Amino acid sequence: MEDAGESTRGCGNISDSEEDRCSENDFGTSKLGTKEYWDDAYQKELDTFKDIGDVGEIWFGEESMSRVLRWMGKAKIPESAAILDIGTGNGAFLVELNLTGIDYSAASVELARSVLQAEDLTDVTVKEMDFLRCQEELKGFDVCIDKGTFDAISLNPDNTNEGKRLYVLALKDVLKDNGFFAITSCNWTKEQLRDRFSEGFEFVQELPTPTFQFGGKTGSSVAALIFKRVH
């Protein structure tokens, strides 16, 4: 398990200077954006969990989960809300909330189910599914949560622009009107995310993340934003 700090494993670009914004093409593609990479990574974590019970890394660290949970409390998201974890990984968020988790990696889904079973959580839904191609299978969610999945899609060497476009379309389909989208990213700045999700979404707020100072500038290695689905 990671400590409570921010983990930026798999980030292609870590920059959030207020005066030095980058374009969408400022970082290249990477194997971190491929399904093969994540299948292999989660298979190793699954084998480790079976051997010693270690669930592996929490993407962006435990604080990233706590940050979203605090926002949900302040926003008075009801316990009955339908919540989707996009790219559930090892299912750590599923342990904290009774929600639906999806991942396109079969090893990730098996790991998440194993972790949930160890926690005696048998009523949580985990599906092996590609979010970009979920079409009519997912509908009516009040909240969608992404911690690194859009980052990975952005790093995919195979038609990355199409992947980003399909992601936005899928997000529009699965969220209810006035539903919320919480995204944590280490590849994209606040401004870039606001631009990417400007059509069909309303920016609500930026969640506080750790900052650093270098060369007289202040920046952050992580951006965490909340959007609302609008027409």
Side-chain angles (χ1 to χ4, degrees), residues 32-162:
L32 295 169
T34 65
K35 184 175 185 296
E36 292 76 16
Y37 175 87
W38 294 110
D39 282 339
D40 182 63
Y42 284 118
Q43 185 60 54
K44 291 176 180 176
E45 291 195 3
L46 176 61
D47 293 341
T48 299
F49 180 77
K50 289 179 177 179
D51 288 341
I52 62 174
D54 185 349
V55 302
E57 291 190 51
I58 297 177
W59 192 259
F60 292 111
E62 293 180 7
E63 172 58 23
S64 66
M65 294 196 306
S66 299
R67 182 185 302 123
V68 175
L69 291 171
R70 287 193 297 270
W71 164 76
M72 292 178 65
K74 291 179 180 178
K76 295 182 170 53
I77 304 297
E79 292 185 5
S80 60
I83 304 173
L84 177 66
D85 188 18
I86 304 170
T88 197
N90 59 14
F93 229 134
L94 305 182
V95 174
E96 299 294 329
L97 292 169
N98 184 9
L99 47 90
T100 298
I102 62 168
D103 205 293
Y104 69 175
S105 169
S108 162
V109 171
E110 185 178 352
L111 173 60
R113 287 173 175 165
S114 298
V115 171
L116 291 167
Q117 185 176 17
E119 296 286 341
D120 199 28
L121 297 172
T122 58
D123 58 345
V124 179
T125 301
V126 188
K127 299 179 179 181
E128 181 183 344
M129 185 179 296
D130 185 347
F131 183 66
L132 302 185
R133 294 165 180 82
C134 60
Q135 298 176 341
E136 299 296 321
E137 297 182 66
L138 296 172
K139 290 286 185 182
F141 285 92
D142 299 294
V143 181
C144 287
I145 299 170
D146 181 323
K147 296 194 297 91
T149 297
F150 185 67
D151 283 354
I153 289 170
S154 302
L155 293 170
N156 192 328
D158 296 325
N159 206 353
T160 180
N161 288 330
E162 178 68 2

Side-chain angles (χ1 to χ4, degrees), residues 181-201:
F181 172 50
I183 181 169
T184 302
S185 170
C186 61
N187 280 342
W188 301 106
T189 66
K190 170 185 174 181
E191 285 73 14
Q192 289 172 322
L193 290 172
R194 290 188 63 173
D195 182 65
R196 170 59 60 180
F197 297 99
S198 60
E199 184 179 338
F201 300 91

